[in-house]
Amino acid sequence: MTSAPSAEQTTRIPDDIARAVVLPESYGDEKNVTYPAFSWLRQNLPVGQAFVDGYDPLWLITKFDDIMTVEKNHSLFNASMNNPILNTQAGDAFLRSLTPDGSIRYLDALPFLDPPEHTQIKAATSNWFTPKNVAKFADRIRAIAREDVEKLLSFDGECDWATDFALYYPLRVILGLFGIPQDDLPLMLKLTQEFFGANDPDEKRDDVEVSPEAAARQFQAAFADFFAYFDQFTEDRRTNPRDDLMSVIANAKIDGKFLGQATVNGSYLQVATAGHDTTSSTVSGVAIAMAQQPDQWQRVREDHSLISNMVNEAVRWTSPVKHFMRSASEDTVLHGVQIRKGDRLMLNYPSGNRDEDYFADADTFDLDRSPNKHLGFGFGGHMCIGQHIARIEMEILFEELAPKIKKIELAGEPKPIKTNFVSSFKSVPVKFTKA
Ligand code: HEM
């Protein structure tokens, strides 16, 4: 952020590359669309501006170091000035129309906040998310893992790994930790997919047509349903606190006062939704990688101490969270490029995680990759609060699975959801050989 921009600097990204990164449909084929675009950007225009019809102009940040610089400097690169999640202009206008003051803060949740508010609210619940506390729930998580592995085995050698297996396990774990009745699993699944998959035509509610406004409306409808659902639990958890996450959020206090109702609901919603599509996407990523490299699965089966490396590399390789957004709070220079106050920056985690300056042969899943400090969980003040839950639940799952399955093969092309935010798979057809 120190060197001045050159006078003749040209920062406009070619339109085809810009569309390949910005549009949700590009993420239906990352190998052939988004990854080549990211590679071009890292080499030619690591901080370049994308102009895509229907979207605000966006600075696409694609190098690991630049993403870190932005993440670390929250007063200069702010999360609350504009939508921290990329949306169309029409979609954002619709969301602003829903708030009384026309602000974009349509959800009172951590990704939308800056310090000091962000720091206070995060601190109010963060003790629950530490590795030490999460480890207390390992036995409960293992019981769910065992049941789900048995269910997988019952498919007798062939299934859709994404929809028959990877989708349910993280959802069951997070609902259990959260304290939500397991019977409500289908409802939570449906709401999350509507929330994250709002741009994918296959994930629409039946009653909305495919348009940016309709996608935003779907978002809002999903919120309203979530809030109506969660309201019933807050009073109960204040009167009868348990060891679940809902009790932690319901009873969190700042300066001796409970968090406001909007923040309580916003916190429920973000944890309930952020906690499973991300993880199920990574679990599917492991299946795809291990099908491509059966020797690595064999090594994991023989040596379970490799499981934590495998999980960590799967988060890098899959990068289920495609971006978060920041806005410049004043004029500044990043990577020699002039950024103006109010400009919006898209932090492209999948690109940072394939930056050749940090990751050799980055497209290859490498069990032995070391060091492997990636950006899959973000970085800085907003870094993923649930990362230890995600790691421990995946480690337990693969400890249970590895002895039972000798070989995983793809039986068809994996189909990701077309979204530029949090990915998941619609389908990962596999054949597997029981041990
Ligand atoms: C493999 C699984 C997961 C991945 C890849 C992932 C990734 C991320 C990323 C990239 C961010 C943004 C970080 C930033 O802005 O720098 C984030 C934030 C967040 N994640 Fe996760 N996450 C995962 C699992 C979870 C789980 C299991 C939970 C909850 C139980 C969770 C809850 C959150 C919350 C609440 C935030 C907002 C934090 C803030 O803004 O301060 N995530 N996650």
Side-chain angles (χ1 to χ4, degrees):
M1 283 194 298
T2 45
S3 55
S6 66
E8 68 280 9
Q9 128 195 341
T10 161
T11 54
R12 187 184 172 112
I13 296 172
D15 290 349
D16 56 334
I17 303 274
R19 281 197 301 273
V21 173
V22 170
L23 295 179
E25 49 266 40
S26 306
Y27 293 80
D29 186 3
E30 289 183 285
K31 187 171 167 221
N32 294 305
V33 182
T34 56
Y35 287 139
F38 285 137
S39 168
W40 187 92
L41 286 167
R42 286 193 304 273
Q43 281 166 40
N44 299 290
L45 209 46
V47 175
Q49 211 168 15
F51 295 88
V52 175
D53 275 353
Y55 290 82
D56 284 346
L58 306 168
W59 290 102
L60 305 188
I61 315 301
T62 46
K63 293 285 286 177
F64 185 99
D65 280 342
D66 295 328
I67 295 173
M68 296 273 276
T69 300
V70 173
E71 291 264 36
K72 281 193 279 198
N73 197 337
H74 59 76
S75 56
L76 192 51
F77 300 108
N78 168 304
S80 62
M81 268 170 72
N82 215 320
N83 194 345
I85 300 166
L86 179 60
N87 199 352
T88 57
Q89 289 165 324
D92 274 346
F94 176 76
L95 292 170
R96 283 181 193 279
S97 76
L98 300 170
T99 57
D101 55 356
S103 108
I104 196 67
R105 184 163 150 182
Y106 54 93
L107 183 65
D108 281 312
L110 292 172
F112 293 74
L113 309 179
D114 282 310
E117 198 181 7
H118 175 267
T119 321
Q120 286 178 322
I121 294 179
K122 202 163 186 174
T125 56
S126 61
N127 278 348
W128 194 90
F129 292 91
T130 58
K132 195 170 164 213
N133 190 59
V134 170
K136 289 187 200 156
F137 300 95
D139 290 346
R140 282 195 223 166
I141 297 175
R142 193 172 297 281
I144 298 174
R146 285 192 177 140
E147 280 179 16
D148 281 14
V149 167
E150 282 313 313
K151 188 177 158 217
L152 175 71
L153 296 176
S154 75
F155 284 102
D156 216 21
E158 195 156 357
C159 73
D160 190 321
W161 184 278
T163 55
D164 293 328
F165 179 57
L167 197 61
Y168 292 105
Y169 171 68
L171 188 60
R172 292 185 71 208
V173 170
I174 197 71
L175 294 195
L177 296 176
F178 217 81
I180 290 174
Q182 291 288 328
D183 288 352
D184 292 345
L185 187 142
L187 174 70
M188 296 302 291
L189 184 61
K190 181 169 173 287
L191 292 175
T192 308
Q193 289 182 336
E194 288 178 348
F195 182 59
F196 280 150
N199 289 309
D200 187 317
D202 296 354
E203 303 302 322
K204 302 287 169 204
R205 283 180 173 230
D206 295 341
D207 55 347
V208 293
E209 14 60 86
V210 179
S211 73
E213 295 81 358
R217 240 171 245 123
Q218 174 179 313
F219 231 55
Q220 180 61 13
F223 281 169
D225 289 356
F226 260 114
F227 290 171
Y229 175 79
F230 281 129
D231 273 343
Q232 58 180 313
F233 292 109
T234 302
E235 265 326 299
D236 171 63
R237 292 307 197 273
R238 286 184 181 158
T239 321
N240 310 298
R242 308 181 193 170
D243 68 351
D244 61 26
L245 194 42
M246 204 139 42
S247 301
V248 172
I249 294 170
N251 291 293
K253 287 183 178 167
I254 296 178
D255 298 333
K257 288 194 189 129
F258 289 129
L259 305 179
Q261 187 64 0
T263 309
V264 169
N265 276 335
S267 305
Y268 290 153
L269 186 144
Q270 73 174 351
V271 172
T273 53
H276 58 88
D277 264 8
T278 44
T279 314
S280 70
S281 195
T282 312
V283 170
S284 284
V286 170
I288 296 166
M290 295 300 112
Q292 288 171 357
Q293 300 192 64
D295 54 316
Q296 294 204 14
W297 181 242
Q298 194 47 42
R299 286 181 55 209
V300 169
R301 296 192 67 231
E302 284 161 13
D303 179 2
H304 285 196
S305 72
L306 292 170
I307 287 177
S308 66
N309 283 6
M310 179 181 76
V311 164
N312 191 41
E313 173 68 344
V315 176
R316 181 198 71 84
W317 193 70
T318 316
S319 292
V321 177
K322 305 304 172 195
H323 80 272
F324 266 98
M325 301 290 299
R326 300 289 186 263
S327 301
S329 60
E330 52 191 81
D331 288 359
T332 187
V333 174
L334 177 66
H335 203 117
V337 174
Q338 179 73 60
I339 310 280
R340 298 286 174 202
K341 180 176 177 177
D343 283 359
R344 304 186 69 192
L345 297 88
M346 182 180 187
L347 306 181
N348 293 285
Y349 301 119
S351 179
N353 282 344
R354 275 169 165 68
D355 187 336
E356 23 303 278
D357 289 351
Y358 284 86
F359 305 102
D361 198 9
D363 286 332
T364 302
F365 189 105
D366 180 359
L367 209 47
D368 303 311
R369 191 175 293 283
S370 175
N372 195 1
K373 287 193 191 308
H374 54 71
L375 294 168
F377 291 111
F379 192 75
H382 283 279
M383 193 169 188
C384 179
I385 198 172
Q387 62 170 299
H388 304 299
I389 297 179
R391 287 181 195 277
I392 200 169
E393 76 179 82
M394 288 193 276
E395 287 171 15
I396 289 175
L397 182 70
F398 290 110
E399 281 163 18
E400 294 299 321
L401 193 70
K404 303 274 171 69
I405 289 192
K406 266 202 299 211
K407 198 171 174 195
I408 306 166
E409 293 165 274
L410 286 181
E413 202 47 44
K415 274 204 203 122
I417 284 191
K418 294 170 194 159
T419 171
N420 53 17
F421 184 36
V422 172
S423 73
S424 188
F425 286 90
K426 286 180 209 175
S427 166
V428 180
V430 297
K431 285 186 183 161
F432 59 86
T433 313
K434 293 186 203 174

